[in-house]
Amino acid sequence: MTVAPRVSVITPFLNASAHISEAIESVEAQHFGDWELVLVDDGSTDDSAAIAAVYAAKDARILLLAPDRTKRGAAAARNRGIAAARGELVAFLDADDIYGPEKLAHDVTALDGDPEAAWVYGATRWFHENGAGKEYRERLGVRLDRRYDPPEILARIILEERGDIPCTCGVMIRREQLLAVGGFEERFALYEDQSLWVKLLLAYPVRVISGCNAAYRQHIGSTSTAAASSGDYDLQSPHPARDAFLAWVGEYADARHAPPSVRRALAIAIKANDGLFFSKLARKFRRMNRFIYPSAA
């Protein structure tokens, strides 16, 4: 019988032939070796699947999942990966992002040292394709190497945005708790990652850790760049996609009888996304916390 790996890394991909090799190789370069990599094809029409297949054929720790026509989008692809994962711990790496060699070891050590935490997250480095823009390291807005009980991080970071919100590649989650909250919300093309953070932060403690062991690539083909071009998304200003996300947060929080602090933080978030005065107030919060957001690629 095959022994399950300690960590499952899930990588969805869609037409990522330019970057997927670098992502896979950053997992293969980990100093922590007890992992599996679940590559989930979301319907690629370029050479991504062929490239992924070559790596899977050479490394038994790599599993390639074929496309599913009925479940499309990053959230659905990640959920398919979660369903196939065997590891006790789950991490995520999009096909255009990369891990530093200490990423898995660092996160596993943090979770092993804090059994009450359902997940951990740390800072991510943002970089531009081909060095086109200034690099940026996230500022998390809270004390590091500390566990936070629900719903403190949800109110302070996700809703009030008084710290940078975790990147998908910056987290590691216990699979049991990940399954318990139902994974990613597949209704969202944007904010699908934050929908999962909301679920986890309402239900379980999280440990925010020091270090910066993942890198998020900004480039012209990214989902956020496309959404910014269409007007649905703006990193620094009110935008329609956040309206839909905040409406969902309200419904989800009410259904789970979230404490009043969540409703108060949600009201601040809605106002910040709804008017010039409050958006200026939100930007003031960011300046007070020294949040310098990089421009979209």
Side-chain angles (χ1 to χ4, degrees), residues 192-258:
E192 81 286 347
D193 52 350
Q194 293 190 43
S195 72
L196 178 56
W197 310 161
V198 168
K199 293 177 177 182
L200 290 167
L201 291 169
L202 266 180
Y204 303 110
V206 61
R207 188 169 189 85
V208 184
I209 56 178
S210 57
C212 183
N213 294 296
Y216 172 83
R217 186 192 309 266
Q218 298 179 90
H219 61 96
I220 196 168
S222 70
T223 300
S224 58
T225 300
S229 298
S230 70
D232 289 332
Y233 175 74
D234 189 302
L235 188 61
Q236 301 184 62
S237 302
H239 53 272
R242 186 159 171 82
D243 283 336
F245 168 68
L246 294 175
W248 172 83
V249 173
E251 295 171 1
Y252 188 86
D254 286 347
R256 281 147 187 83
H257 308 290

Side-chain angles (χ1 to χ4, degrees), residues 271-283:
K271 289 177 180 177
N273 202 58
D274 190 45
L276 179 61
F277 171 79
F278 290 102
S279 64
K280 287 181 177 178
L281 181 63
R283 288 195 293 272

Side-chain angles (χ1 to χ4, degrees), residues 127 133 139 145 148 156 182 252:
F127 70 103
R139 296 173 172 87
D145 297 317
Y148 293 87
R156 178 182 177 88
Y252 188 86

Side-chain angles (χ1 to χ4, degrees), residues 6 20 48 59 65 112 126 128-129 138 178 195 270:
R6 186 80 195 283
I20 191 170
S48 301
D59 193 332
L65 300 185
D112 284 348
W126 291 41
H128 289 256
E129 184 85 329
E138 291 174 337
L178 179 56
S195 72
I270 291 170

